[in-house]
Amino acid sequence: PKGDLIEAILERLPDDAVERTCLLDPDDPSQAVGLNVLTGDNTDLVVDHVVGVFKRIYEPWWGPRTDDIMRAACLTLVQIPGATLTEIPLLLSHDKWRKEVGERFEDDPGLGSFWMWFERLGDQQRANMIAPLLNKLRAFLLRGPVRAIVGQAEPKLDIDQLINGGGLLLVRIPKGTLGEETSRLLGAFAVARVWQAAMKRASLPES
């Protein structure tokens, strides 16, 4: 909870392990190692993990409408090159850009129908529907160090390569400086990305 375990490990790292070690630390302003949680080979699984993380942490205040909007926004952004989690508030509140994005999915029976329904809502009705989601996202994304980590479209951290190359990933998320919800979100995202990378290894031959 205080980040001292990671500091203790860093102090004891042998020299030959330093080059293959990656540190994810929101408290380190000198270098923000990115973690794009909307990347992955299986977009449906990626979105399930992202939405599932938010749902578990905010479960008492996470209704079916919030879940529906979050899922549609994530499924949309994973298909837009360079998009990250930080674009969700913009997608939901910037009318011009949202309409342009929605037009790309007119032939998609799922996302296309969602964005058609969303555009037909009145401004006040739309604002009321997205408010519960946006206040949770902003509490997370308005933190500069956190935004610097999850807002990188092409992050320096390649978890697949790190795991398959015998690398070491250290994630320091002290809730004393980040806040409990933010540390839980970042930690869950890191675990989800590692889990996705590990599951991909199931398709590799045993050798």
Side-chain angles (χ1 to χ4, degrees):
K2 297 180 179 179
D4 48 358
L5 173 62
I6 299 300
E7 292 171 1
I9 293 174
L10 288 171
E11 290 173 359
R12 291 163 174 78
L13 273 183
D15 293 339
D16 61 351
V18 173
E19 289 299 318
R20 57 187 177 87
T21 298
C22 182
L23 174 64
L24 185 68
D25 184 2
D27 281 345
D28 183 6
S30 61
Q31 187 177 23
V33 176
L35 182 69
N36 188 350
V37 298
L38 292 183
T39 58
D41 295 334
N42 187 330
T43 56
D44 290 331
L45 184 61
V46 167
V47 171
D48 276 346
H49 278 150
V50 172
V51 176
V53 165
F54 275 94
K55 183 177 181 179
R56 283 194 301 275
I57 292 174
Y58 295 108
E59 189 167 6
W61 310 279
W62 192 269
R65 180 61 67 197
T66 298
D67 192 272
D68 186 37
I69 294 173
M70 179 68 170
R71 189 174 299 275
C74 288
L75 284 170
T76 299
L77 291 176
V78 294
Q79 300 182 56
I80 300 176
T84 68
L85 197 67
T86 59
E87 268 77 50
I88 291 181
L90 182 67
L91 177 64
L92 296 177
S93 58
H94 193 290
D95 293 347
K96 185 174 183 295
W97 188 57
R98 184 180 62 251
K99 289 176 182 177
E100 292 175 356
V101 169
E103 289 172 358
R104 305 186 193 185
F105 300 96
E106 287 180 345
D107 298 329
D108 186 317
L111 287 175
S113 61
F114 173 84
W115 291 117
M116 286 176 59
W117 164 80
F118 196 76
E119 290 300 332
R120 287 198 298 266
L121 296 173
D123 290 345
Q124 188 58 50
Q125 188 179 11
R126 190 184 303 122
N128 291 339
M129 284 190 173
I130 65 176
L133 175 58
L134 290 186
N135 63 31
K136 297 172 182 60
L137 282 171
R138 285 182 180 135
F140 177 64
L141 297 175
L142 284 179
R143 295 176 177 270
V146 173
R147 188 180 180 88
I149 290 174
V150 300
Q152 294 184 35
E154 297 181 1
K156 303 170 186 175
L157 174 57
D158 186 333
I159 288 183
D160 290 6
Q161 184 178 9
L162 193 73
I163 289 178
N164 293 323
L168 177 63
L169 173 63
L170 301 177
V171 183
R172 184 178 181 275
I173 43 174
K175 65 181 181 181
T177 56
L178 291 177
E180 186 169 354
E181 288 180 352
T182 298
S183 64
R184 288 177 67 193
L185 279 167
L186 269 182
F189 284 143
V191 170
R193 290 291 290 115
V194 170
W195 178 247
Q196 290 168 27
M199 291 300 290
K200 284 174 62 176
R201 294 170 64 92
S203 62
L204 298 176
E206 184 178 349
S207 59

